[in-house]
Amino acid sequence: MTLQPGPFPALEGFERAEYEIRGIRTIVHSIGEGFPLVFLHGAGTFTGFEFARTLATGAKVIIPYHPGFGDSADDDRITSIDDYVLHYADLFDRLGLEAFDLAGFSLGGWIAAEYAARQSSRLRRLALISPAGLVVRDHPAPDLSTVSPPELPGYLTHDPRVALGYFPTTQDPTFGASLGREMAALGRLLAIEPQGNPKLGAWLHRIAAPTLLLWGSEDRMRPAAQADAWLKCIPVSRLELVPGAGHLLFEEAPQATTLLRDFLAA
């Protein structure tokens, strides 16, 4: 497969819709038919959402771009994870989502967990894929300021060649600006506590929806050893550990998408 890196990945076959949430343009892509599944993306959207085509064989997959990411507009008022959670509470109301499944990867997993702790009654099932947000002091996430650009692919995937396939082979200012914008939005969230939300663990017991934790065994961005802390906090939860895979789980291990689809269909 030849990848074509760019500021916003091609989404042929997806339906695109635009909403104004507190005056901020929010772009939502969807594909498939069936019970709604909202998927919240991670801190870098450059990998695209090809995996969603598999999920769409049994669900209507709804993928919004966070403010400050992808082709949604910036919102300088968003400076905390609570701001993102409330943004999505407004968006889900606009979409008329009374009952739905929710999945989130990395940063999106953090947002999903925080939302689920507040609005669990609206969720049928919850899936957290290599989630950020929970502060696990014994198994911390790396300090990315110490990771050099040549090292980054090895943090994203167990086989660095997989991650490299999503980066331009020559200098691409547009790609760099897009990624830099998204990293700046992430940086605002982590300015006070780089590891996440120290209070999150105290509230995860409120999640009533059956929850799947899906993790790559070789994840260096969010060490898989963090999974035990999540399992202890969420009452009805289980872990699927994908061997030989890093942080970009769907891109490196396509079987992870099948595990997620099967969990949602059960």
Side-chain angles (χ1 to χ4, degrees), residues 165-228:
Y166 290 90
F167 286 85
T169 55
T170 59
Q171 188 173 5
D172 185 335
T174 302
F175 180 90
S178 173
L179 186 58
R181 169 181 175 251
E182 294 180 342
M183 292 303 100
L186 175 64
R188 287 192 290 272
L189 293 181
L190 302 178
I192 296 176
E193 172 50 77
Q195 292 294 315
N197 178 5
K199 296 182 178 181
L200 177 58
W203 299 109
L204 291 177
H205 70 276
R206 292 179 49 83
I207 297 177
T211 300
L212 173 68
L213 288 160
L214 190 56
W215 227 297
S217 65
E218 308 304 317
D219 194 334
R220 297 177 69 188
M221 282 288 191
R222 286 286 159 179
Q226 292 190 354
D228 285 344

Side-chain angles (χ1 to χ4, degrees), residues 5-18:
F8 312 120
L11 292 169
E12 289 86 358
F14 287 71
E15 179 182 346
R16 183 184 188 277
E18 182 174 319

Side-chain angles (χ1 to χ4, degrees), residues 24-258:
I24 299 300
R25 184 185 75 251
T26 301
I27 304 303
V28 179
H29 292 277
S30 61
I31 189 170
E33 298 291 338
F35 193 77
L37 163 64
V38 175
F39 183 89
L40 302 180
H41 64 75
T45 63
F46 61 91
T47 56
F49 308 108
E50 282 299 306
F51 63 88
R53 300 183 193 277
T54 298
L55 299 175
T57 59
K60 179 178 181 179
V61 184
I62 300 166
I63 304 176
Y65 278 119
H66 313 325
F69 293 80
D71 49 0
S72 286
D74 293 331
D75 188 348
D76 292 339
R77 296 169 298 181
I78 292 181
T79 57
S80 73
I81 200 69
D82 286 339
D83 293 328
Y84 276 114
V85 171
L86 290 170
H87 168 86
Y88 278 115
D90 278 352
L91 177 63
F92 297 159
D93 287 346
R94 286 283 298 278
L95 295 175
L97 293 173
E98 294 299 327
F100 57 100
D101 292 332
L102 179 62
F105 163 67
S106 195
L107 168 61
W110 181 6
I111 299 170
E114 298 266 7
Y115 178 86
R118 293 160 172 80
Q119 296 284 340
S120 189
S121 62
R122 299 175 80 167
L123 302 182
R124 186 182 71 167
R125 288 177 178 266
L126 174 68
L128 305 175
I129 301 97
S130 307
L134 188 61
V135 177
V136 184
R137 299 297 183 191
D138 291 341
H139 305 286
D143 178 356
L144 293 181
S145 68
T146 67
V147 177
S148 67
E151 293 177 305
L152 183 59
Y155 278 83
L156 292 173
T157 51
H158 184 50
D159 180 351
R161 294 172 297 179
V162 176
L164 282 170
Y166 290 90
F167 286 85
T169 55
T170 59
Q171 188 173 5
D172 185 335
T174 302
F175 180 90
S178 173
L179 186 58
R181 169 181 175 251
E182 294 180 342
M183 292 303 100
L186 175 64
R188 287 192 290 272
L189 293 181
L190 302 178
I192 296 176
E193 172 50 77
Q195 292 294 315
N197 178 5
K199 296 182 178 181
L200 177 58
W203 299 109
L204 291 177
H205 70 276
R206 292 179 49 83
I207 297 177
T211 300
L212 173 68
L213 288 160
L214 190 56
W215 227 297
S217 65
E218 308 304 317
D219 194 334
R220 297 177 69 188
M221 282 288 191
R222 286 286 159 179
Q226 292 190 354
D228 285 344
W230 288 91
L231 291 169
K232 290 175 182 177
C233 292
I234 301 175
V236 184
S237 58
R238 64 180 178 87
L239 171 67
E240 289 281 359
L241 198 61
V242 180
H247 191 60
L248 296 181
L249 190 55
F250 296 131
E251 288 73 23
E252 187 164 28
Q255 68 268 31
T257 308
T258 303

